[in-house]
Amino acid sequence: MSFESYKNLGEVLKEYEITASETNYIIENKIDIRESFREDLEFCMKELTFEESEYAICETIIFPVLKELYRLYRDKFTLWSHKSLIYNEKLSGVPDYIIAKRSPLGKEIFEQPFFVAVEAKRDDFTKGWGQCLAEMVAIQKMNDQSEQQTIYGIVSNGQLWQFGKLQNNRFTKNFAAYTIYNLEQLFAALNYVFRQCELELEAITSGCRDNS
C-alpha cells in the first residue's frame, strides 16, 4: 500500500476510523499580492498549456502560488517539492508538496513536524482527497501529536483549490472551494492556513496547547 493506493476519502476514513464533516472553517486573511507575481501568473495561464499534465499544473500554477505565500513564512517553514514521506508500508509515498518546520541546521534538512500536504490532481478530486488524507494521517503519526496538532491538506487542479484539516480522528473539509480566478480570495485562504501552521508551531515550541 502507498498513498496512491487510496482511491477516495471513504477508504482512508474507514481504515483509520476517522469521522468526516464539512463546514466553512477558513477565516480569510487578506494580504497584498505582488504585481510581478500577478503578471507572471497571467502570462503562464494565457500562453502555456497545462490542462493535460499534472506536472505542468504543478510547475505553472500550484508551486508558484505556494511559493509566493511561502515567501512570507520562510523564517519558520520550508516548502518541499516531491519529497518522500514514509511512516510504514501502508503510509508512504511522495506528496507533491509539504510544508514543514524549518530546521535550525539549514534548508537542506527535512525537519519534523510537518504541517501541510498538497496534492495536484488533474480534475480527479475524489482520488486526490483519498491520497491527501492518507498523507495527512502519515504526517499526524510521524509528528506524534495525534490528539493535539491540526494537519492541513490541499487538493488542487490548478484552477480549483479545496481545503481540509485533520485533528485527532476528525477530518473537516472546508465546504467552500477557491479558484485561481479570484486570486485575492485564494491567497487569503492560503494565508489563513499558513498562519494556523505558524500558531501550531508556536504551540509545539512552547509546549502549551489549547485542548478545547
Side-chain angles (χ1 to χ4, degrees):
M1 292 287 288
S2 67
F3 300 138
E4 292 188 355
S5 300
Y6 293 100
K7 306 302 182 185
N8 53 60
L9 268 178
E11 291 181 356
V12 185
L13 296 172
K14 184 176 181 180
E15 181 161 354
Y16 297 99
E17 298 183 339
I18 297 170
T19 301
S21 63
E22 288 190 2
T23 187
N24 284 325
Y25 65 83
I26 289 179
I27 302 173
E28 296 172 11
N29 188 359
K30 294 188 179 299
I31 60 171
D32 294 329
I33 304 173
R34 294 185 304 145
E35 190 60 33
S36 59
F37 171 80
R38 290 179 185 271
E39 292 174 357
D40 189 61
L41 181 65
E42 183 178 353
F43 172 82
C44 289
M45 294 183 67
K46 284 183 176 181
E47 302 297 335
L48 303 179
T49 300
F50 56 84
E51 288 87 350
E52 297 181 2
S53 168
E54 288 179 12
Y55 291 107
I57 291 170
C58 287
E59 293 173 0
T60 60
I61 300 181
I62 296 177
F63 182 71
V65 168
L66 293 174
K67 183 179 67 174
E68 191 69 10
L69 262 296
Y70 166 67
R71 290 169 61 92
L72 304 176
Y73 295 90
R74 62 187 181 274
D75 60 328
K76 300 288 183 65
F77 303 110
T78 301
L79 172 61
W80 292 93
S81 173
H82 298 84
K83 182 75 173 179
S84 294
L85 193 69
I86 302 172
Y87 176 71
N88 59 25
E89 66 278 2
K90 287 189 174 182
L91 294 171
S92 64
V94 184
D96 288 321
Y97 303 105
I98 299 173
I99 304 296
K101 174 187 174 183
R102 187 177 185 90
S103 173
L105 300 178
K107 63 181 181 180
E108 294 82 6
I109 307 298
F110 195 38
E111 181 82 61
Q112 290 179 242
F114 311 123
F115 293 92
V116 184
V118 183
E119 273 303 309
K121 288 298 175 189
R122 194 177 60 195
D123 296 330
D124 190 352
F125 283 86
T126 299
K127 183 175 181 180
W129 271 115
Q131 189 170 335
C132 189
L133 181 56
E135 294 164 0
M136 295 163 73
V137 172
I139 287 173
Q140 185 184 69
K141 294 180 179 299
M142 292 175 71
N143 286 350
D144 196 26
Q145 298 278 341
S146 60
E147 295 184 358
Q148 299 173 326
Q149 186 185 349
T150 301
I151 309 300
Y152 293 87
I154 300 170
V155 178
S156 175
N157 65 357
Q159 299 178 65
L160 186 68
W161 295 63
Q162 296 181 351
F163 294 80
K165 64 179 181 177
L166 176 66
Q167 184 176 38
N168 198 358
N169 64 342
R170 302 186 306 275
F171 171 74
T172 306
K173 185 178 178 183
N174 200 72
F175 184 76
Y178 294 81
T179 77
I180 197 69
Y181 303 108
N182 189 334
L183 205 58
E184 287 79 6
Q185 193 176 36
L186 173 60
F187 266 61
L190 286 166
N191 193 36
Y192 166 82
V193 172
F194 271 83
R195 176 55 182 153
Q196 294 307 302
C197 293
E198 190 174 50
L199 294 174
E200 290 283 331
L201 181 59
E202 291 173 1
I204 291 171
T205 302
S206 67
C208 300
R209 285 187 171 276
D210 178 4
N211 294 315
S212 60

